[in-house]
Amino acid sequence: MAAPAWQASGTLLGALTTNDVTPVIPAHAIDDILICITANRVITNTCATPSGWTLLHGPIDSTGWRSYAFWKRAASAAETNPLCDWTATSADKYAQVHTLRGCIRTGSPFAASSLASDLTDPIAVAGITTTRISQRVIAVGIGSDNASASITTFTCANDNPIFAQRHYSTIATGADATGLFFDGIAATASATGTVTADHNSTMPAMAILVAALLDNEFDVMERLQMLKGMAHPLPHRNLGRS
C-alpha cells in the first residue's frame, strides 16, 4: 500500500498589528490530514488552537519568532479555514495550511514528530526516529524573512530519508516570511539525525515541523490484530465412537 503523500500547500498569508490571520485550506478530501503552521514576531504572544483543530506542538521560540503547529482530519471536502487567533495587538503574524492524503483514518496520524526553531542560515533542527521501514517523513517550515528565493540543500544527517521539495514560497507582508514543505521515504526504522535547511541567502529564524506519518496499511494491520485477539479456537470434541 502506498505511503501517505503531500497533496497541496495553501497560500502563505500574513497579517499586521491588530489583525489575526486565517490561512486558506487548499483542495482536500474526507480523511485528508491538514497541517496548519503559524508564527509571530513577538514570543510573548500566544495563539489559540483553531476551532476543531488539535495542537501538535508549540509554542516553540527563538529570538523574535514564536511558532505553533496544529492538525485536523478533514471530515468533508469543504473544511472551514482555521482562524489563528493571537492574543496580542502588535507584531506580524503568519500562517499556512498543507494537506496530506493516505494517512491512518483514526487517531493521531503521527508516529513521531518534533517542532523546533533555529537562528541564522543554515537552519538546523532536531530530527525524529521513524518507526517502520518505508515511512513517509515530512518537514514543514515557516521562516521570518523572504530574502532567500530558494533552498540550496535540505538534508538530514543520516540521509534517511532523502528529502524532495514539494513547496516553497515567500511573501512581503510586514517584515516578510517564507513557507516550505519537503518530504521523503525513510528506508529504515531509525533516527533521521539533525534536519538542515540551507537557503540561498539569509534566514534570520525558521521553525520546522518534522514528522513521520502512519498510513492506511497501519490502520489495516491494527484491525487485523484486533480481530486476531478476538478469535478463539472451537472447543475440542471427541468424534470417536463410544
Side-chain angles (χ1 to χ4, degrees):
M1 188 174 291
W6 169 85
Q7 285 299 298
S9 294
T11 302
L12 174 64
L13 293 180
L16 306 178
T17 61
T18 59
N19 297 317
D20 287 309
V21 59
T22 304
V24 176
I25 302 172
H28 55 282
I30 294 174
D31 286 333
D32 281 359
I33 297 301
L34 319 177
I35 295 176
C36 175
I37 189 164
T38 184
N40 190 301
R41 295 194 185 279
V42 175
I43 63 172
T44 55
N45 295 348
T46 58
C47 183
T49 300
S51 177
W53 291 65
T54 299
L55 174 66
L56 181 59
H57 292 289
I60 299 297
D61 299 334
S62 55
T63 302
W65 201 242
R66 166 166 280 193
S67 305
Y68 291 82
F70 306 101
W71 74 277
K72 177 182 177 66
R73 180 175 288 105
S76 74
E79 291 293 319
T80 301
N81 297 327
L83 169 64
C84 294
D85 186 4
W86 289 85
T87 55
T89 58
S90 63
D92 304 341
K93 311 164 186 72
Y94 304 93
Q96 188 171 25
V97 177
H98 309 266
T99 60
L100 302 160
R101 187 163 298 164
C103 293
I104 188 172
R105 291 181 292 267
T106 58
S108 172
F110 305 104
S113 66
S114 172
L115 178 66
S117 190
D118 190 29
L119 302 172
T120 309
D121 200 63
I123 302 295
V125 299
I128 56 169
T129 297
T130 58
T131 58
R132 300 179 60 195
I133 63 171
S134 301
Q135 193 164 52
R136 178 76 66 184
V137 178
I138 63 170
V140 187
I142 189 164
S144 66
D145 202 291
N146 70 350
S148 294
S150 64
I151 289 282
T152 303
T153 59
F154 196 100
T155 60
C156 60
N158 296 333
D159 291 330
N160 184 49
I162 304 298
F163 284 108
Q165 180 177 313
R166 306 299 180 188
H167 172 83
Y168 189 90
S169 64
T170 63
I171 56 173
T173 303
D176 315 326
T178 291
L180 59 80
F181 190 107
F182 282 71
D183 68 359
I185 298 293
T188 62
S190 62
T192 63
T194 300
V195 174
T196 301
D198 189 0
H199 297 76
N200 75 335
S201 187
T202 60
M203 180 57 69
M206 174 172 272
I208 299 178
L209 168 70
V210 183
L213 303 177
L214 295 172
D215 58 25
N216 283 332
E217 182 179 358
F218 180 87
D219 193 14
V220 171
M221 293 302 294
E222 286 287 288
R223 292 174 186 271
L224 288 175
Q225 288 295 324
M226 180 181 68
L227 291 173
K228 183 178 179 181
M230 293 171 60
H232 298 285
L234 293 173
H236 174 72
R237 294 194 302 173
N238 184 357
L239 300 179
R241 295 180 179 176
S242 57

